[in-house]
Amino acid sequence: MPPQRPVDEERAASVAHLLALEADGILTTQDKDTVAQAHGRTRKSVERWMTRARENGGHYQRKQRDATQVTERMENELIRCCGNIAAAHRALTADGAMPLSYSAFHQAVTRAYTPSFLAGLRGGEKARRRYDLYGSSRQRGRRNDAWEADHKEADVWVNVNGTARKPWLTLFVNCSNTGICGWAVTPHTPSSQAIIVAIHSSVRRGGPHGPFGGIPKLIRVDRGADFLSKAVAHTLQTLDVRRVELPPRRPDLKPYVESTNAAFKIMLFSGLPGYTHCPEPDTVAPPTPPPVEDLLTFEEFTDRVRKFVHERNHQHRIRSLGNRTPLQAWKADRTVIHDPPPGALRRSLPLVRRTFTITNTGIRWTGRAYLETWMRDHIGTRVRLRHLPGHFDTVEAYDADTDHYLGIARWTNAAGPSLIRRVKQANRDDAARLKEALKKRPVIIAERLAAERFAATTTPAPPQPLNTLTTEQARRQLQHSHAPDPRDTPTENLPEPSPSWTNTRRPQLPPAHNENLPTPTNSWLTHPTATPDAEQQEQEDPP
């Protein structure tokens, strides 16, 4: 039953008052006229309202019309037409299965289905979610009760080694004060390595990390594969942090990191060169990145992010915090902070499965040599290694038998930056050379010329192929496919045809078959290659 409108509520109140007067025996005609005048109706209408209320147990309710029900056939046609009510009505009318007018069918559909459901039929789940209602924001709680983590693609082009790219940010936000505890910037799509770097930056306190940090009780993450990886799970388990996996497409469940993402876009990225959402003229060509020379380098971009994080944590006032900065809200909270124990961050790194032996050349792993001075006292010791995913410059060594921490080892045979740049440039040159060579391949040219195209039509008819090849193109294509052209066959050095090659005589039939046959005509005796003299000779000298 649809909810009552304000007019119905006013009528119900007036009718209840009249019924109360009637029950007390003091109801008069003037009372009915007063109510009728107040509602712009006649006395007869008011008496009809009172009769309906008596039949309904003393409660007035507007008389409902018989609503037209949407049948299963109508619903299936509406689904087939992707929520297009007019198209569904036309299809049902053409099939003779529509007893309603368009307006009646439209009213029946809009009464039977919610706007969110109809929007979902037209645009899918993404369109339906626009009608979702969310409750109030999450409770902030105390500091380090809960953190929220997320990735954010920067809305700005950045010069990354001469190439325009959009970096990614990995953020960890404290829910109690919206302070950014840790962050990491990646020139490309981030992985578990960026998350572990951001976690290590978040739990540390003091110095460049500021007062924000410590070990939280839980971290809310979405269902990204990198957040659910084994490496990230090991890091959180080592630090005794519970990971809460949120359902997909529910940004309302992590509002504080989402608001921080929006702050980056509005307050930082919009003022940087190469901002991707700047208004542009309406052109046919898609927007392209600006020249690389006009963009910030990756180092400059990272420095801008660092300054913005410090400014937001220390100077930006947030209305939901009582117009305080995150730093002021952090200091006002007296909750005990638990810092990671010594060595916990090292042990939170992923462990390499196999064991290694320290030799005179250090530790050999994946073709790399790791060496440090402390190894002189541990020659022949079997060790296990831990390292940051994607980082091979340093490893953490532990005794394989006692699990005692030995020290850090550094990569010694790493190529220098200049050599790496030359190798990468050589790879790019080789790829460009191969690309140009492939463009000149005759097979590719022949395939492009042989692509069959068809003419456009407005009537039902089989597709008519278009002649996309000229005579020269066809001959060139046959040349590439090694098919000989009869016109290109050389005729020199061929012997002259013998007299028997051109046979101008009438063919003789076997005796068994020339009985009762009519005499052949002169045209039958004429050979295509016969000369006029030969024809005349045959006419003068018949067989």
Side-chain angles (χ1 to χ4, degrees):
M1 190 68 66
Q4 285 191 344
R5 295 178 292 182
V7 176
D8 297 339
E9 296 178 357
E10 296 175 359
R11 291 182 183 178
S14 301
V15 171
H17 176 67
L18 294 178
L19 292 178
L21 295 178
E22 185 181 35
D24 294 339
I26 57 176
L27 179 63
T28 62
T29 305
Q30 185 177 1
D31 296 330
K32 297 180 182 179
D33 293 338
T34 302
V35 171
Q37 184 179 2
H39 291 277
R41 294 291 189 269
T42 62
R43 185 197 306 171
K44 187 176 181 179
S45 298
V46 174
E47 292 175 350
R48 189 167 55 249
W49 297 347
M50 295 176 64
T51 303
R52 191 175 303 126
R54 295 190 195 98
E55 296 174 353
N56 197 27
H59 300 284
Y60 169 78
Q61 191 173 22
R62 182 189 293 267
K63 184 178 180 180
Q64 302 295 331
R65 296 181 179 179
D66 295 335
T68 304
Q69 300 296 327
V70 178
T71 62
E72 184 178 0
R73 173 71 182 279
M74 297 177 182
E75 181 179 357
N76 294 339
E77 192 64 34
L78 185 67
I79 295 174
R80 190 188 67 83
C81 295
C82 299
N84 191 328
I85 301 177
H89 184 268
R90 288 195 299 268
L92 292 171
T93 303
D95 294 343
M98 174 50 65
L100 305 176
S101 64
Y102 173 72
S103 59
F105 179 65
H106 189 281
Q107 291 179 2
V109 169
T110 54
R111 188 186 303 113
Y113 304 106
T114 61
S116 61
F117 180 79
L118 295 177
L121 290 181
R122 290 188 291 267
E125 175 62 19
K126 185 176 181 181
R128 188 206 63 80
R129 289 200 302 270
R130 298 174 183 172
Y131 291 83
D132 286 345
L133 297 178
Y134 303 116
S136 59
S137 180
R138 282 186 179 273
Q139 296 296 326
R140 289 186 174 272
R142 297 183 177 275
R143 60 184 180 185
N144 288 349
D145 279 353
W147 289 4
E148 294 175 355
D150 195 11
H151 293 310
K152 164 66 178 175
E153 185 183 22
D155 302 295
V156 60
W157 294 102
V158 175
N159 181 1
V160 180
N161 293 337
T163 305
R165 294 185 178 181
K166 290 192 288 185
W168 283 76
L169 274 68
T170 303
L171 302 174
F172 283 82
V173 177
N174 196 316
C175 298
S176 64
N177 46 58
T178 323
I180 303 175
C181 299
W183 55 278
V185 184
T186 313
H188 47 74
T189 305
S191 61
S192 58
Q193 175 258 340
I195 299 175
I196 296 177
V197 170
I199 291 176
H200 286 194
S201 174
S202 301
V203 299
R204 291 192 178 101
R205 294 195 302 141
H209 303 282
F212 300 91
I215 298 180
K217 295 181 181 179
L218 60 89
I219 294 180
R220 302 188 185 104
V221 300
D222 54 19
R223 294 185 178 270
D226 44 3
F227 281 106
L228 303 182
S229 63
K230 294 182 179 179
V232 174
H234 170 76
T235 301
L236 296 179
Q237 290 173 0
T238 305
L239 298 176
D240 194 19
V241 178
R242 184 165 63 96
R243 181 181 62 186
V244 178
E245 303 170 8
L246 301 177
R249 296 183 293 272
R250 288 298 303 274
D252 59 296
L253 298 181
K254 47 186 180 69
Y256 303 112
V257 70
E258 294 292 345
S259 63
T260 305
N261 291 340
F264 268 96
K265 177 180 178 180
I266 298 173
M267 302 173 63
L268 176 63
F269 298 151
S270 61
L272 298 181
Y275 181 55
T276 57
H277 295 283
C278 287
E280 296 183 357
D282 187 11
T283 57
V284 178
T288 57
V292 179
E293 297 77 12
D294 300 338
L295 303 177
L296 295 176
T297 62
F298 184 73
E299 296 81 0
E300 295 172 342
F301 175 78
T302 306
D303 185 63
R304 295 288 187 93
V305 172
R306 179 185 61 82
K307 293 179 179 178
F308 175 78
V309 170
H310 184 273
E311 179 182 354
R312 179 171 176 80
N313 284 343
H314 293 75
Q315 301 178 14
H316 181 68
R317 298 182 179 274
I318 301 177
R319 184 180 305 173
S320 60
L321 294 176
N323 203 29
R324 295 179 299 174
T325 64
L327 179 62
Q328 292 173 344
W330 174 274
K331 292 182 177 180
D333 194 342
R334 298 301 179 182
T335 305
V336 178
I337 301 175
H338 299 280
D339 293 316
L345 294 181
R346 290 195 302 265
R347 291 188 177 274
S348 66
L349 296 176
L351 180 67
V352 181
R353 293 184 177 180
R354 55 169 292 197
T355 59
F356 304 87
T357 302
I358 301 178
T359 63
N360 298 91
T361 58
I363 301 174
R364 305 287 301 186
W365 178 44
T366 63
R368 300 174 176 86
Y370 295 89
L371 194 65
E372 196 55 55
T373 56
W374 59 266
M375 294 183 181
R376 291 178 296 180
D377 301 330
H378 297 83
I379 301 296
T381 304
R382 293 173 55 252
V383 297
R384 289 185 176 274
L385 303 180
R386 295 181 182 273
H387 78 105
L388 189 64
H391 284 238
F392 297 96
D393 51 348
T394 60
V395 293
E396 305 286 345
Y398 290 80
D399 193 303
D401 299 325
T402 63
D403 201 26
H404 178 70
Y405 178 67
L406 298 178
I408 188 173
R410 291 174 173 81
W411 184 10
T412 59
N413 59 343
S418 59
L419 178 58
I420 293 177
R421 283 196 298 269
R422 290 199 299 271
V423 170
K424 290 183 177 180
Q425 184 61 40
N427 294 338
R428 288 193 291 267
D429 294 342
D430 194 19
R433 191 180 306 112
L434 177 62
K435 185 177 180 180
E436 292 298 326
L438 292 177
K439 289 182 178 179
K440 300 177 182 179
R441 290 182 61 183
V443 175
I444 294 180
I445 298 176
E447 290 176 355
R448 186 175 71 249
L449 294 177
E452 189 173 11
R453 303 184 65 185
F454 299 91
T457 180
T458 57
T459 58
Q464 300 296 327
L466 293 175
N467 186 13
T468 58
L469 295 179
T470 63
T471 304
E472 293 299 325
Q473 289 174 342
R475 296 185 63 187
R476 234 183 352 256
Q477 183 174 342
L478 290 174
Q479 247 180 356
H480 289 310
S481 62
H482 306 287
D485 190 347
R487 293 178 299 175
D488 297 336
T489 304
T491 57
E492 327 63 59
N493 303 325
L494 293 179
E496 293 294 333
S498 62
S500 62
W501 183 77
T502 305
N503 187 8
T504 59
R505 301 186 62 185
R506 178 173 61 84
Q508 298 291 337
L509 295 177
H513 297 281
N514 53 12
E515 299 175 357
N516 303 323
L517 292 179
T519 303
T521 61
N522 292 334
S523 61
W524 183 83
L525 297 174
T526 303
H527 194 275
T529 58
T531 59
D533 296 338
E535 294 178 359
Q536 183 178 2
Q537 182 178 359
E538 289 185 356
Q539 294 176 2
E540 296 175 355
D541 187 17

